[in-house]
Amino acid sequence: MENMLGLLRIHIQRGVNLAIRDMRSSDPYLIVRMGKQKLKTRVVKKSVNPEWNEQLTLSIADPSLPILVSVYDKDTFSFDDKMGDAEFEFGPFIKALKMGFHVLSSTYGM
């Protein structure tokens, strides 16, 4: 991948008290998006407290792109139900990291 800054590993641990989207439970999974990249966890059947404990890795080329996390309920005979989402700006982390290295290098003569 050209102009790649690095890799970002995201640990998807668990969901807590998710919404019920089927009769008595849900079959949740997560989708993580950044630009054209799209990663997905496995589906946890019949759980509103799923434990994924999965690691997903994104390639960072443009830190100005947000990271989008969406939770869905898997359905067999219809479209999957969206249960919720969140958006994270990654750029500030890169800036803080660069500032930290700059401070370290000037403080310790690196």
Side-chain angles (χ1 to χ4, degrees):
M1 183 171 250
E2 61 184 69
N3 299 328
M4 186 171 78
L5 294 175
L7 298 173
L8 175 65
R9 182 169 295 145
I10 302 170
H11 182 182
I12 307 294
Q13 190 166 346
R14 67 176 172 260
V16 179
N17 295 327
L18 299 182
I20 295 173
R21 292 288 185 238
D22 296 330
M23 293 297 263
R24 295 189 184 130
S25 191
S26 291
D27 304 313
Y29 66 94
L30 262 75
I31 292 179
V32 177
R33 289 186 174 97
M34 183 178 196
K36 294 180 180 180
Q37 297 176 81
K38 178 180 172 182
L39 305 171
K40 183 178 160 183
T41 65
R42 65 185 167 79
V43 174
V44 177
K45 298 278 187 183
K46 299 180 183 177
S47 179
V48 293
N49 296 297
E51 299 245 359
W52 288 284
N53 200 26
E54 293 184 31
Q55 293 195 17
L56 306 176
T57 304
L58 292 169
S59 301
I60 306 298
D62 182 356
S64 67
L65 293 173
I67 297 170
L68 306 169
V69 179
S70 301
V71 183
Y72 290 90
D73 170 54
K74 181 74 177 164
D75 287 329
T76 304
F77 300 110
S78 63
F79 291 109
D80 294 351
D81 302 314
K82 190 170 193 176
M83 299 174 75
D85 58 6
E87 182 174 312
F88 301 92
E89 296 295 329
F90 189 67
F93 293 105
I94 295 289
K95 287 180 185 175
L97 187 62
K98 287 180 179 177
M99 285 175 46
F101 281 140
H102 174 69
V103 170
L104 282 176
S105 63
S106 62
T107 304
Y108 296 105
M110 297 173 129

